[in-house]
Amino acid sequence: MDLAQLISDLKKGDRIAFRQLVEAYQSRVYNTVLAIVQQPEEAEDVAQEVFVQIFEAIQQFGGEMKLTAWIYRIATTKALEAYRKRHARKRFAFFTQLFRSEADGSVDDRLHPVDFVHPGIKLEQQERSRILFSAINRLSEQQKVAFTLHHIEGLSYQEITEVMQTSLPAVESLLHRAKTNLRRSLAGYYREDFDV
């Protein structure tokens, strides 16, 4: 695929070019979003929003950034927005629950996180992955994005600097702190053979 031609066609509003873009990037966008929001249905919605934003904003894409980095940046931004909104709703639901009558004794499911298992994980490793993703979920947003892009999506440190629009030392620091925090969180679950 000739990226320069693809970008040119996208800027002209070419729907075939847009379909090619979606086919080329949809699994990467979905997996990145899923690793952050950790809810498959929500990840599908957010991934669609990512491609809508790409289509609407392609005119502003100047080429000073690689297309892939630009797409990952939109995906991580949208995923973090969705994650924040969901957690704001959970906090609101929690406070609402405090003042609700306990007559029926029911518990609102929105207050309890769903056990998350990434669909790309083999069945025998799903318990490990659930614990790992739970620990990833407790990282700071910036650590979570850097960790997801490097360890789940396989981006190099340099590519992450482009996506996150930060320096190489900042990315190295984020990944180091993420690993340190994960090792601390997971110390009781994994032996030394597990390397995050």
Side-chain angles (χ1 to χ4, degrees), residues 51-100:
F51 286 108
V52 167
Q53 183 170 338
I54 290 167
F55 188 75
E56 292 173 347
I58 193 68
Q59 298 299 329
Q60 286 79 44
F61 178 72
E64 65 279 350
M65 187 181 211
K66 289 181 184 171
L67 181 64
T68 303
W70 186 64
I71 291 170
Y72 273 119
R73 182 157 184 76
I74 293 171
T76 55
T77 300
K78 288 278 188 194
L80 287 171
E81 286 171 4
Y83 179 81
R84 285 185 207 118
K85 279 183 195 172
R86 182 165 26 93
H87 282 273
R89 285 192 305 267
K90 282 183 181 179
R91 283 192 297 273
F92 178 75
F94 173 75
F95 287 115
T96 303
Q97 186 77 13
L98 288 176
F99 297 103
R100 186 180 294 170

Side-chain angles (χ1 to χ4, degrees), residues 128 131-133 135 138 181-191 194 196:
R128 275 181 98 174
I131 294 166
L132 174 61
F133 277 105
R138 291 190 298 271
N181 289 335
L182 287 173
R183 283 194 179 107
R184 191 177 305 126
S185 294
L186 300 171
Y189 296 102
Y190 300 109
R191 294 186 184 87
F194 179 75
V196 292

Side-chain angles (χ1 to χ4, degrees), residues 6-19:
L6 179 68
I7 292 166
S8 173
D9 291 345
L10 286 168
K11 287 186 175 186
K12 293 174 190 169
D14 186 320
R15 295 190 180 278
I16 294 172
F18 183 67
R19 192 171 331 141

Side-chain angles (χ1 to χ4, degrees), residues 162-174:
E162 294 169 15
V163 173
M164 297 184 75
Q165 295 183 332
T166 190
S167 67
L168 187 59
V171 169
E172 290 170 345
S173 176
L174 285 169

Side-chain angles (χ1 to χ4, degrees), residues 34-35 37-40 114-119 126 129-130 133:
L34 181 60
V37 301
Q38 298 188 5
Q39 301 220 340
V114 175
D115 281 345
F116 172 73
V117 176
H118 198 286
Q126 286 186 356
S129 74
R130 186 188 63 72
F133 277 105

